[in-house]
Amino acid sequence: MKELKFDPLNIVVCGIGGQGNVLAAEVLGSAMCDRGFRVAVGETYGASQRGGSVMSHVRVSAKMDPSVLIPSGEAHIIIGFEPLETLRMVRKYAGKDTTVVYDPRPVYPLGVLQGIQQYPAVEDIAAEISHLTNLAVAVPAADIAMEAGDSKSANIALLGAFSQLPGAPLSREDLEKILSQRFRGAVLEVNRRAFAMGCEAAGKGAE
């Protein structure tokens, strides 16, 4: 069993409703349980609201049953499906040891599309995420998903990127095993492509 860099290891998965981040957290939890870890997975808000904020906490331990919620400032890994949502979680949960992997492509809220609100410059968001964390890796998961053949596979692309992070508790093979159990046929093939492309993109982004 792969050793944990921190025990418990705290992972935040965040984004916008409809992006598949809850499924990503479930896949992570299943893969880590399969490897013999003790895992707690909890959604904190917004899962039923498409377009609203969604966050899941995934806590992993080799020696105890962890509580569900991650304390502020104690996330070790943050997986973000939308840059502004990622920054919000970084501001609350990141510490000096936090690694972030995120999709830098914005999803603009209705107020921004109507011209009522302003969305921060993506460059400014990226700079602050990098400043507040130990390592930040931007992976174009939405673009990868389209290239792989299904826009809904962006979450799987980010899981591939996650598996390449320093301190990730799962190998590429661990997650590929769970994907093979979760999906079948053409959907599995698309997700395998997205996953592999996410792995490759993370390697380039961390260089």
Side-chain angles (χ1 to χ4, degrees):
M1 185 168 64
K2 199 170 181 178
E3 291 187 3
L4 298 177
K5 185 176 181 180
F6 303 96
D7 196 335
L9 181 73
N10 298 326
I11 303 171
V12 172
V13 184
C14 63
I16 301 297
Q19 290 187 303
N21 26 337
V22 173
L23 174 61
E26 292 174 353
V27 170
L28 280 179
S30 295
M32 287 183 284
C33 284
D34 190 63
R35 295 298 295 154
F37 293 116
R38 302 181 187 184
V39 181
V41 179
E43 296 169 30
T44 56
Y45 55 85
S48 63
Q49 181 183 358
R50 178 171 290 271
S53 298
V54 181
M55 175 173 58
S56 297
H57 290 194
V58 182
R59 307 195 75 196
V60 189
S61 177
K63 57 189 179 184
M64 67 180 195
D65 293 323
S67 59
V68 173
L69 296 182
I70 297 170
S72 295
E74 294 188 19
H76 301 115
I77 299 174
I78 296 176
I79 304 172
F81 289 75
E82 201 281 337
L84 188 55
E85 289 300 317
T86 302
L87 177 57
R88 288 173 178 163
M89 296 304 106
V90 164
R91 286 171 173 171
K92 181 172 183 180
Y93 290 102
K96 62 182 178 63
D97 297 315
T98 304
T99 296
V100 179
V101 59
Y102 71 104
D103 190 337
R105 179 178 175 178
V107 178
Y108 297 113
L110 183 59
V112 172
L113 297 175
Q114 293 176 332
I116 300 171
Q117 300 171 315
Q118 286 190 326
Y119 192 98
V122 174
E123 296 80 4
D124 293 341
I125 293 174
E128 186 173 350
I129 290 173
S130 294
H131 176 71
L132 294 174
T133 59
N134 179 53
L135 174 66
V137 180
V139 173
D143 295 339
I144 287 172
M146 292 298 291
E147 188 177 344
D150 188 345
S151 61
K152 293 185 288 187
S153 64
N155 57 349
I156 305 302
L158 271 180
L159 287 182
F162 160 84
S163 73
Q164 303 304 298
L165 296 178
L170 298 169
S171 68
R172 176 173 179 166
E173 292 73 23
D174 292 333
L175 283 161
E176 286 176 331
K177 177 181 177 182
I178 300 302
L179 295 182
S180 297
Q181 295 173 356
R182 284 271 182 150
F183 303 106
R184 294 288 184 271
V187 175
L188 175 59
E189 292 310 309
V190 167
N191 283 330
R192 279 177 170 165
R193 285 196 297 272
F195 185 86
M197 293 166 71
C199 291
E200 182 180 356
K204 293 178 179 178
E207 290 175 355

